[in-house]
């Protein structure tokens, strides 16, 4: 589903067929998870396509790499340009884009001297679909923020996400919601969390979450719509009393949650503040952000 014989990818300054891209079995990322990545979406529009918040995503990629002591030999502008070329070479407009910075051969617990950069893209429908989700409170917690760099998008961090989602699916749920080490609601395995009560949106603050780019976009759009957003710690019991809730992230975009641990939300999603923001979000993602970009 990710590539075929004609798919082109970018790897270390070269354009290759996806089937020809290779990585060492001794690379540090494979063994220890020392690597960083991004998930980015592009959207078709009248000018071709727009890579939504490309600069912000690549800013975070370089920030994550710096936090993990990895040197990336490209600027944000270069990475944005390469990504537009990638879409053009694959004749893609509505696409999911995966940049990955991975390490070279190194079995020591120190950064490798070799850095590799891979970028691929494929058509990928909205992750988790469009229907309201049946969510469970995971038995797995978000990692202690003193044990890793929470605001960095690190390959190894996502073992926690895989465990939480796998548990939820095995128990008949669509997705999981994780708590932090203090028992407050944190986020989903791959998306931020919002709930709505009396027209006000609530979302966990930075610290125990990955403060997502879609999350920031929602907060901007809410301000335009004069919808109040409160960043605060809250418990599951407070969420049970909410009118509605939703996940937000690049892959899931904005996806409604219908129930948590069997407790159904009473309000109608189509009448919620979250749905109004989603409608505005769908329009915003198509607007070109790099109209003056020169791609060489």
């Amino acid at each position: 589903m990710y590539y075929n014989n004609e798919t082109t990818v970018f790897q270390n300054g070269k354009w290759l067929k996806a089937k020809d891209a290779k990585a060492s079995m001794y690379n540090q990322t494979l063994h220890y998870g020392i690597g960083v990545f991004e998930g980015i979406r592009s959207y078709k529009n009248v000018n071709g396509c727009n890579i939504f918040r490309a600069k912000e995503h690549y800013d975070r990629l370089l920030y994550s790499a710096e936090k993990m002591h990895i040197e990336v030999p490209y600027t944000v502008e270069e990475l944005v340009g390469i990504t537009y070329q990638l879409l053009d070479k694959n004749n893609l407009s509505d696409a999911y884009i995966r940049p990955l910075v991975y390490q070279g051969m190194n079995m020591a617990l120190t950064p490798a001297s070799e850095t590799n950069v891979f970028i691929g893209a494929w058509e990928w429908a909205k992750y988790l679909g469009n229907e309201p989700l049946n969510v469970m409170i995971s038995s797995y917690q978000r990692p202690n923020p003193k044990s890793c760099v929470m605001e960095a998008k690190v390959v190894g961090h996502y073992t926690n996400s895989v465990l939480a989602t796998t548990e939820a699916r095995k128990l008949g749920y669509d997705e999981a919601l994780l708590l932090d080490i203090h028992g407050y609601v944190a986020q989903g395995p791959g998306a931020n969390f919002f709930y709505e009560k009396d027209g006000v949106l609530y979302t966990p603050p930075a610290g125990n979450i990955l403060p997502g780019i879609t999350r920031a976009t929602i907060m901007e759009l809410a301000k335009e719509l004069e919808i109040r957003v409160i960043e605060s710690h809250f418990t599951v019991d407070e969420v049970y009393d909410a009118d509605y809730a939703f996940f937000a992230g690049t892959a899931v975009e904005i996806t409604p949650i219908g129930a948590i641990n069997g407790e159904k939300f009473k309000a109608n999603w189509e009448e919620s503040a979250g749905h109004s923001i989603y409608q505005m979000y769908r329009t915003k993602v198509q607007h070109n952000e790099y109209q003056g970009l020169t791609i060489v």
Side-chain angles (χ1 to χ4, degrees):
M1 68 178 282
Y2 305 112
Y3 69 94
N4 57 39
N5 288 337
E6 301 305 314
T7 302
T8 297
V9 298
F10 177 87
Q11 186 181 39
N12 294 332
K14 298 179 180 179
W15 296 105
L16 306 170
K17 293 301 180 185
K19 58 186 176 64
D20 297 325
K22 295 178 174 60
S24 169
M25 296 304 294
Y26 296 90
N27 81 69
Q28 193 180 47
T29 306
L30 180 63
H31 287 263
Y32 302 137
I34 306 301
V36 298
F37 73 101
E38 279 295 319
I40 312 172
R41 278 197 186 274
S42 65
Y43 294 87
K44 184 177 181 178
N45 62 19
V46 294
N47 298 309
C49 72
N50 174 53
I51 301 175
F52 186 60
R53 294 287 165 94
K55 180 182 183 301
E56 288 85 345
H57 278 287
Y58 281 119
D59 277 339
R60 186 170 65 183
L61 183 76
L62 297 190
Y63 172 83
S64 298
E66 180 184 1
K67 288 297 183 181
M68 297 306 294
H69 310 287
I70 300 171
E71 293 187 11
V72 180
Y74 297 96
T75 66
V76 167
E77 291 72 22
E78 288 171 332
L79 291 167
V80 172
I82 289 165
T83 306
Y84 272 104
Q85 290 181 71
L86 176 72
L87 295 176
D88 185 59
K89 288 177 181 292
N90 289 286
N91 194 29
L92 290 170
S93 51
D94 286 309
Y96 182 83
I97 302 153
R98 172 52 57 88
L100 170 68
V101 177
Y102 64 98
Q103 295 285 72
M105 292 188 291
N106 186 15
M107 293 297 105
L109 299 179
T110 54
S113 58
E114 176 192 342
T115 298
N116 301 277
V117 177
F118 169 89
I119 310 177
W122 62 91
E123 291 183 350
W124 202 23
K126 186 179 176 183
Y127 185 63
L128 299 179
N130 294 296
E131 296 301 314
L133 302 174
N134 184 21
V135 171
M136 69 166 282
I137 301 300
S138 181
S139 67
Y140 296 97
Q141 294 178 338
R142 283 285 290 170
N144 185 324
K146 291 189 177 295
S147 70
C148 56
V149 186
M150 297 295 288
E151 67 273 18
K153 202 169 176 69
V154 180
V155 172
H157 290 180
Y158 282 75
T159 54
N160 174 255
S161 302
V162 171
L163 287 169
T165 294
T166 301
E167 176 189 52
R169 299 281 175 86
K170 284 185 175 181
L171 293 174
Y173 292 87
D174 299 315
E175 188 55 292
L177 180 61
L178 293 91
L179 308 183
D180 65 21
I181 59 172
H182 303 294
Y184 294 115
V185 172
Q187 66 169 72
N192 291 121
F193 177 81
F194 287 80
Y195 81 83
E196 180 180 336
K197 179 67 176 177
D198 297 330
V200 178
L201 292 179
Y202 297 82
T203 192
N208 293 289
I209 64 169
L210 177 73
I213 291 166
T214 305
R215 174 181 179 271
T217 303
I218 286 171
M219 295 169 77
E220 292 171 9
L221 296 178
K223 186 175 182 179
E224 290 184 39
L225 292 171
E226 298 184 345
I227 297 170
R228 188 182 180 197
V229 180
I230 297 176
E231 296 180 83
S232 66
H233 295 293
F234 48 82
T235 65
V236 176
D237 285 339
E238 289 175 272
V239 176
Y240 287 154
D241 192 45
D243 297 324
Y244 224 99
F246 58 89
F247 282 133
T250 296
V252 304
E253 298 182 317
I254 297 174
T255 301
I257 297 171
I260 296 179
N261 278 10
E263 296 287 334
K264 294 182 179 180
F265 294 109
K266 300 175 285 296
N268 186 337
W269 168 244
E270 282 72 23
E271 297 174 357
S272 69
H275 186 264
S276 297
I277 291 172
Y278 179 53
Q279 297 296 99
M280 195 171 178
Y281 176 84
R282 289 296 304 174
T283 300
K284 184 177 180 63
V285 296
Q286 296 177 9
H287 291 173
N288 276 73
E289 299 169 323
Y290 285 89
Q291 294 176 350
L293 182 70
T294 299
I295 300 172
V296 295

